[in-house]
Amino acid sequence: MGRIFEEDRTADNGGGRMGLCDELYLNERARGLGIGKRLLDEVLRWMKERGIARVKLHAYSWNRRAQKIYEMCGFEEYAVSYEKFI
C-alpha cells in the first residue's frame, strides 16, 4: 500500500507532504524473484508523479529481507524503536 499524507510540522524528522509505503507482503512462493522490488519501484514512481519527494516506510528489526530490499531502493535507516512487555 502506498499513500500520500501530511506529516505534522512538529514531527522529529520534519513535516510536510510525503509518501508512506506500508504493508508490502509477498507470499513465500513469490519471494526472491524481484517482485517486491518491482512493486516498491512502482509505488515510488506513482508518488514521484504526484510531486512527492520524500517517502517513509517501516520494517521490523527481524525482517532482514525487507530491509535489504529497502536499502537496494535507496532507503536509509533513520530511527530505531524499542519495546518491552512488563
Side-chain angles (χ1 to χ4, degrees):
M1 174 180 74
R3 67 182 179 100
I4 296 169
F5 72 104
E6 189 76 28
E7 179 76 276
D8 187 75
R9 299 261 181 242
T10 61
D12 61 348
N13 59 344
R17 197 165 171 254
M18 64 183 65
L20 175 67
C21 292
D22 201 11
E23 303 299 331
L24 177 61
Y25 175 82
L26 293 176
N27 182 288
E28 188 68 38
R29 292 177 291 166
R31 295 178 187 168
L33 302 174
I35 297 169
K37 183 178 181 316
R38 289 197 312 257
L39 285 169
L40 187 55
D41 286 343
E42 183 63 22
V43 170
L44 295 175
R45 182 195 59 74
W46 177 84
M47 289 181 184
K48 189 172 185 176
E49 287 176 353
R50 283 150 183 81
I52 299 300
R54 184 172 170 205
V55 179
K56 288 181 166 185
L57 51 74
H58 306 280
Y60 290 107
S61 58
W62 51 262
N63 196 343
R64 301 291 184 212
R65 290 178 99 173
Q67 292 170 20
K68 183 178 177 182
I69 291 169
Y70 302 151
E71 290 169 3
M72 285 184 346
C73 289
F75 285 87
E76 297 178 4
E77 182 180 309
Y78 75 87
V80 177
S81 298
Y82 291 88
E83 175 178 76
K84 179 179 180 176
F85 291 92
I86 56 171

